[in-house]
Amino acid sequence: MVHPNPTHYMGSRPAPTDRQAPDALDPMQILTAFDHGKVTRLSNGQIQREYTLTAFDREIEVAKGVKFPAWTFNGSVPGPTIRCTEGDRLLIHFRNEGAHPHTIHLHGIHPADADGVFEVVPPGGTYGYQLTAEPFGLFLYHCHVMPLKKHIHKGLYGAFIVDPKTPRPPAKELVMVMNGFDTDLDGENEFYTVNGIANYFAEHPIPLQVGEPVRIYLVNTTEFDLINSFHLHGNVFKLFRTGTSLTSYEITDTVMLCQGERCILEFSFKYPGRFMFHAHQSEFAELGWMGMFDVRPRAQRA
Amino acid sequence: MRTPDETLPVAEVARAGWRPGTWLLIILPVALLAAMVVLFLTGGEGLIGKPPIPPDALLKIEFERLVFRPGEVVATVRNTGPDEVTIAQVAVNEALWQFAVSPSPSLARMQRATVTIPYPWETGDPVEVKLITSNGLAFTHKVDIAAETPRPSLRTLGIFALLGIYVGVIPVYLGLLWFPFLKRVREEWFHFFLSLTAGLLIFLGVDALKEALEAAGKIPHAFKGVGIILIGISVGLLGLMAVGERTMGRARAGVPGGERLALAYLIAAGIGLHNLGEGLAIGAAYALGNVALGTFLIIGFTIHNTTEGFGVVAPVAKDRVRLWHLVALGLLAGAPTILGTWIGGFTYSAVWSILFLALGAGAIFQVVYELLKLMTRDARERAGSLANFAGLILGLGIMYLTGLLVQL
């Protein structure tokens, strides 16, 4: 069992040197990787999931040839996608190996000591977040230490999925976290990306099949810009805002999100070929927030 | 018996001789200094601890030229920071764009590179080029009005020459055309017009200095713009002083009125140097893609050069001057504009431009001094008479007003 640490500084260790993640996560991996945690069943029948999130500083590539000194959860920006089912007991072991104090602030319903605001974890410190996952929907987590702009922008965020008790219909599920990088620290983003590298999915199109149901968990963690957006070519999607309802909000091909907002998109392609998806702020699209689906004809293996 | 030469102190030193040990005395401090620098660079940092400024933040790339060709933009850039820098991405008007860098995207200290960007620029549109380095720093250069850059060719050589003639040579001759008028003017008015010339020249000199300072503010700090200005002014001033000593001195001894002719030539030389700098500015405006700026400069320089022509001929107004002197004066004052336009248009360098502007300013200040000397020697009245004062102010005022007209 993990005991939460007291809030005040106990003195900090000297900053640990940058370390490599065990396997460097790239945007394609983040697209389809879900961390379901270590699953155990409690005596009362409840499912318990344990996650380990470690914050550490790491230099990442945010566009071809451009490095950025990021603060990461488990070595990637965005951090791992935490996934669970409504009603599960969650234990998040947080270890701070960065050079600055951090926390993990989860969106959702939970007690105050699992909110990740007042229990600031110093470098070298640890904390355990204990909560029951509710309600179902698409949420996110991020660091909540001041200055907020900096702690979020440096890369400490990730998606947090709480599945409804009755699972959603089967589909090819993709996680897309929209973000930006201000590499020269002038208060404006130089690059906009999905899952961490500018233009990545434009250069590595995502393979899909005609008729295959697709579900995108879309999260906006872009700093400095008021809003971001997602536009899909050649198709429309069912929009589930925040994913907290099983009835779709509307059917559209463009959705606008402010920072912290998220939504679930469901669609399937009718025609084969390459279809773009990108922000409909053209400026963001031209600065790296551009991707493509490579839709193969039915029954052709990717 | 000792000759007079041998008793001089200088002779004593000369006789002491240049022993082999003398070289050591010269080299020793330099060698010790070099050793200190090497020591600090290789390990002495431990002496003062790690510098608080992350070295990455000091990295810098500066734009030297931005050339527009049909369908592409070519930027010449230089690494003027303290360390190597790598160009990783290029954005044009806030859109990441394809590009090619030669010889290499990694630039060593002070190394230059050419970035070729295929881009559908439109005449008249603003174009902003942003280079993003491998550590995320961004360096931008903006051209307010894009226009195709003239290519070095016989045709553009001719165009720039014509430009130089139009801006430099013809206006000076126009100013020289006041010569007949000046001949009819009464003796007392002659000094008024000399003062007017002084006013014109003072304004010109200060204006050139101001432009040099502005340009110095824009160039990479590594080049120490103000230092260049200092050197330029000193050389211009002292250089023209030296030329003046010889020519004016000889002229004074020789033909009566030769002194004034020599002064006219000095003024023409000073203005010529200044016009070299002006030509550089026009050529550079084209080179950096600012055609519209070039147009304004042309109008301004044309007007100013006309008044300069007047200044050249004013000192010899009361003398009989052979025609070929007038032709020569006009060429001396105006022709350097052509040279300047060629240099500025094809191989522009901000550093040289500043140097020539400063040279011109120094030369002009020296010429003003000579002019005032001439006036005080010649005058029947005191130099500070009302007529002279009025002339000076009018000279300044004319330059100021013509400058205003250009801004419209």
Side-chain angles (χ1 to χ4, degrees), chain B residues 107-131:
Chain B
L107 303 171
R109 245 197 113 169
M110 295 310 268
Q111 195 185 349
R112 233 169 31 170
T114 307
V115 182
T116 308
I117 309 165
Y119 188 83
W121 58 271
E122 297 229 346
T123 306
D125 278 355
V127 172
E128 183 193 69
V129 174
K130 180 195 265 195
L131 303 181

Side-chain angles (χ1 to χ4, degrees), chain B residues 94-401:
Chain B
E94 301 198 311
L96 292 173
W97 215 265
Q98 248 190 313
F99 68 100
V101 194
S102 84
S104 156
S106 288
L107 303 171
R109 245 197 113 169
M110 295 310 268
Q111 195 185 349
R112 233 169 31 170
T114 307
V115 182
T116 308
I117 309 165
Y119 188 83
W121 58 271
E122 297 229 346
T123 306
D125 278 355
V127 172
E128 183 193 69
V129 174
K130 180 195 265 195
L131 303 181
I132 303 178
T133 64
S134 59
N135 63 336
L137 296 175
F139 302 99
T140 56
H141 176 67
K142 186 171 184 187
V143 168
D144 293 315
I145 303 172
E148 191 170 348
T149 310
R151 247 185 212 281
S153 69
L154 224 55
R155 186 171 166 272
T156 49
L157 208 73
I159 289 178
F160 276 144
L162 273 176
L163 203 64
I165 293 175
Y166 188 90
V167 171
V169 180
I170 293 181
V172 168
Y173 281 125
L174 284 182
L176 288 178
L177 281 180
W178 266 308
F179 187 63
F181 157 72
L182 279 175
K183 286 201 83 58
R184 294 171 197 222
V185 143
R186 283 204 314 255
E187 198 72 40
E188 302 84 72
W189 280 96
F190 179 57
H191 276 251
F192 170 78
F193 283 113
L194 280 186
S195 308
L196 197 131
T197 303
L200 297 176
L201 289 173
I202 292 174
F203 191 98
L204 201 64
V206 174
D207 199 47
L209 189 59
K210 163 221 149 211
E211 279 187 31
L213 282 168
E214 266 181 9
K218 291 194 203 126
I219 62 169
H221 283 152
F223 290 123
K224 301 216 175 345
V226 177
I228 299 175
I229 293 178
L230 197 64
I231 293 174
I233 288 192
S234 309
V235 172
L237 209 113
L238 297 172
L240 225 69
M241 188 188 291
V243 171
E245 301 267 286
R246 286 173 198 272
T247 56
M248 300 278 278
R250 249 188 272 134
R252 218 170 290 141
V255 182
E259 200 181 18
R260 286 191 290 278
L261 184 62
L263 180 63
Y265 269 102
L266 271 183
I267 293 179
I271 289 175
L273 262 178
H274 174 253
N275 278 344
L276 185 65
E278 283 186 353
L280 277 170
I282 297 177
Y286 279 91
L288 278 170
N290 274 316
V291 172
L293 175 67
T295 311
F296 274 124
L297 288 178
I298 291 170
I299 298 175
F301 289 150
T302 308
I303 295 176
H304 273 183
N305 279 334
T306 312
T307 52
E308 285 163 25
F310 175 89
V312 166
V313 86
V316 294
K318 296 328 263 176
D319 302 326
R320 277 198 19 227
V321 181
R322 284 204 293 246
L323 187 63
W324 77 266
H325 276 303
L326 293 177
V327 173
L329 284 170
L331 270 179
L332 185 58
T337 319
I338 302 174
L339 189 64
T341 318
W342 280 344
I343 298 174
F346 297 130
T347 58
Y348 175 71
S349 156
V351 172
W352 288 106
S353 167
I354 294 171
L355 182 65
F356 279 112
L357 281 171
L359 270 175
I364 286 176
F365 289 139
Q366 172 60 15
V367 163
V368 169
Y369 172 67
E370 291 290 345
L371 185 61
L372 293 176
K373 250 182 25 190
L374 182 81
M375 281 169 58
T376 51
R377 248 200 324 272
D378 248 19
R380 283 191 226 134
E381 340 78 84
R382 293 171 295 115
S385 74
L386 189 62
N388 288 349
F389 179 70
L392 190 82
I393 299 295
L394 187 62
L396 292 172
I398 289 175
M399 289 297 270
Y400 181 76
L401 285 173

Side-chain angles (χ1 to χ4, degrees), chain A residues 69-89:
Chain A
W71 296 343
T72 75
F73 283 119
N74 291 11
S76 66
V77 176
T81 302
I82 297 177
R83 191 159 189 178
C84 60
T85 308
E86 186 183 18
D88 288 350
R89 185 89 184 135

Side-chain angles (χ1 to χ4, degrees), chain A residues 64-67 183-184 191 286-287, chain B residues 88-89 94-96 134 136 138:
Chain A
K64 208 186 298 190
V66 182
K67 301 276 189 177
T183 56
D184 66 345
F191 300 101
E286 290 188 316
L287 287 175
Chain B
Q89 295 275 350
E94 301 198 311
L96 292 173
S134 59

